[in-house]
Structures are given as structure tokens and as C-alpha cells.
Amino acid sequence: MDLSNLLPSVIEIARASGQVILDIYQRGQFEKQIKTDNTPVTSADLAAHKLVVEKLAELTPDIPVLSEEDAEIPLVERSQWQRYWLVDPLDGTQEFIAGSGDFATIIALVENNTPVMGVVYAPVSGVAYYAYHGKGAWKVTPEGETVRISTHKHELPAQSIAVAISRRQDISAITNRLDPSLNYDLVPLGSAALKSCLVAEGAVDCYLRLGPTGEWDTAATQCIVEEAGGRIFNTHLTPLSYNERDTLENPNFITLGDETLPWSTILTPDNRLMDSQ
């Protein structure tokens, strides 16, 4: 079923969520707690979650919503869903707390375990990214201009490889996973979704993520990246899965702009084997 007609409404929901987050961010007054998985959650996460879930329920009453902030739904129930919304109301909570501005609202529509719609909105910059399966990937600038985006096609060894990385991660953990005979430009950013969107628009060549993420962190960007000509794989270079396991935690993954590069050798084999998932 083609539900691409829902895109404008979903983008507006993401913008409304972003405005709620931005209002709290600019006031600088929010509550912070530590969840059972030892990650932070703030009153901005919860306010955005409430808005997005309510608005999606109004838009599509028959489609269930799975949000990072309400994810305790067993697989036996989730596995019955042919179609569902997968949401991270505030991707980049640590960046929100740190005041970097690198955070976003992420909304995906998943059908038959495959992301078919993705929307990412960054409230500080006012930039939005969106895609629908088979209809391309797009970026909306702060000025309101909508432009089609595509990944960067690379030539080795003449060009260095631009790698998006987390501001909060030990850089050596990333560089130790990469073939040392090649040249790399490391580009730090906060939100996982925004780093993958940089790949989608051709600003960087890849984003290597080591460490815990949830399926809500990658579903929307997987649709955007694939429609832009790239792919998202685990670090064994096999596709990520959605709603097929008891856990909703992703393995380590890499977002690729140009799949034709020799990633099986760029990602050093010895270190790929160290992955636990």
C-alpha cells in the first residue's frame, strides 16, 4: 500500500515535536533521569514522545506506534504488526543535555519489517530530511527549499574517505576498525540520524557506529539513505533487521554512501570479528 500521501502530515508532526523540544532547549529548564539501560531521558524526550504518539494516532488510528520511550512491547505482539510507526522523539539526548544543538526527531513507517518512509527533523537548524520507498530522498533547507539528495560516489585511492563520527566516542575505537593504509577525514556530529543523513546528501562517505543504538535510530534514515543511493549494514556487511527479534537493540552498523567501495577490506576483518552481534 502506497502511503506516501501521509508524508506532509508526518513532516509537520516531526516539526511540531521539534518545536516542543526547541522551546525546552532554549529555556534551559528540563528534568533528567537515567533509564534502566543506563541512558539519559529528559522531560523534552517525554514531551516530544507524547506529542508524536498522539498525532500519529490521530493521523492513522489503525497503525500502532513503537517509540523509544514506550518500547516494552513483547515480540509476540509486535510480530503481528504488518505496518507500524517507529519513532525516536529526541535522537541525541546527550547532545541536548550538553547544549550542542545536534539532535532530531525521527519518524519511520515500517511495512513487513522494512522501513518504507523516513522523516528526520533537526529543530535547531530547521533542516528536514524525508524519503518514501521508490520516490527518492529529499532535504528541506531552513529557507524552505526542497532539494533531492544523493550519496557521494567515490574514487580510491585519489580521495580520502570522509567518516562521520560521534563527538562522545573514543576516536581510536573508530580508527582501529579502518584499514590504516587509506586516508580518512573524521567529521564529528551528535545525533546518529543526522550523521546518516550527511551520508545520504553526499557530505560524508560513511558513518561508522560502534555501541548501543535502537531500531528507532536507524529505520527512518535507512529509508532516506537507500533512496539516496546508499545502504546501512551491520559491520559484517549484512542488512539490519526490524521487528524480528526480542531485543530492539541494533548491532554495530555502518552507513555507506558508495556501496561499490571495497568495504570488506576498508573495515579491517580482524576487528569485524570482534563484534558481539
Side-chain angles (χ1 to χ4, degrees):
M1 182 183 296
D2 184 347
L3 296 178
S4 58
N5 62 302
L6 297 177
L7 260 172
S9 296
V10 177
I11 293 169
E12 286 309 306
I13 292 172
R15 288 185 185 277
S17 170
Q19 189 60 54
V20 166
I21 296 166
L22 188 61
D23 289 345
I24 297 172
Y25 180 71
Q26 291 175 335
R27 290 198 305 270
Q29 298 177 345
F30 56 88
E31 297 176 3
K32 182 179 74 170
Q33 303 173 17
I34 300 299
K35 296 191 287 189
T36 56
D37 62 0
N38 206 34
T39 61
V41 63
T42 70
S43 50
D45 294 77
L46 300 177
H49 160 79
K50 182 175 185 295
L51 182 146
V52 172
V53 170
E54 289 178 355
K55 293 295 185 182
L56 288 175
E58 291 174 7
L59 179 67
T60 54
D62 297 330
I63 301 179
V65 181
L66 177 61
S67 167
E68 178 182 11
E69 307 312 333
D70 185 17
E72 299 300 318
I73 302 173
L75 180 62
V76 66
E77 179 179 344
R78 291 187 278 113
S79 64
Q80 304 303 310
W81 298 348
Q82 178 186 358
R83 180 182 299 111
Y84 66 101
W85 296 107
L86 183 54
V87 175
D88 189 345
L90 200 174
D91 177 53
T93 300
Q94 291 184 336
E95 301 299 325
F96 175 91
I97 294 168
S100 76
D102 289 335
F103 47 82
T105 289
I106 315 173
I107 303 174
L109 180 65
V110 181
E111 289 187 349
N112 299 317
N113 308 109
T114 300
V116 297
M117 179 193 297
V119 173
V120 175
Y121 178 65
V124 172
S125 68
V127 172
Y129 299 88
Y130 67 88
Y132 195 89
H133 179 68
K135 298 182 184 294
W138 305 83
K139 176 181 180 179
V140 184
T141 69
E143 297 74 31
E145 181 185 6
T146 301
V147 293
R148 190 160 188 168
I149 57 174
S150 61
T151 58
H152 176 229
K153 299 308 177 185
H154 210 287
E155 293 183 9
L156 287 178
Q159 298 175 330
S160 62
I161 299 175
V163 183
I165 61 171
S166 170
R167 284 199 183 97
R168 313 285 160 192
Q169 191 163 44
D170 178 6
I171 292 177
S172 65
I174 301 294
T175 56
N176 288 342
R177 297 290 184 104
L178 301 171
D179 181 351
S181 69
L182 299 174
N183 295 317
Y184 304 94
D185 293 325
L186 303 182
V187 181
L189 195 69
S191 155
L194 294 179
K195 288 193 281 287
S196 284
C197 287
L198 284 184
V199 178
E201 64 177 312
V204 297
D205 296 298
C206 71
Y207 161 42
L208 178 58
R209 171 67 190 211
L210 307 178
T213 60
E215 292 181 13
W216 43 78
D217 290 304
T218 54
T221 49
Q222 179 165 328
C223 182
I224 293 167
V225 168
E226 290 184 351
E227 287 299 306
R231 297 293 298 275
I232 299 183
F233 291 129
N234 67 29
T235 48
H236 296 279
L237 302 179
T238 57
L240 300 182
S241 64
Y242 293 91
N243 205 30
E244 295 181 325
R245 299 168 296 148
D246 287 320
T247 179
L248 290 163
E249 184 174 315
N250 284 326
N252 296 333
F253 69 86
I254 185 167
T255 304
L256 308 177
D258 186 349
E259 191 183 351
T260 66
L261 290 182
W263 293 105
S264 60
T265 56
I266 294 172
L267 290 173
T268 54
D270 289 345
N271 282 312
R272 288 206 314 277
L273 294 174
M274 291 170 58
D275 290 340
S276 61
Q277 298 186 52

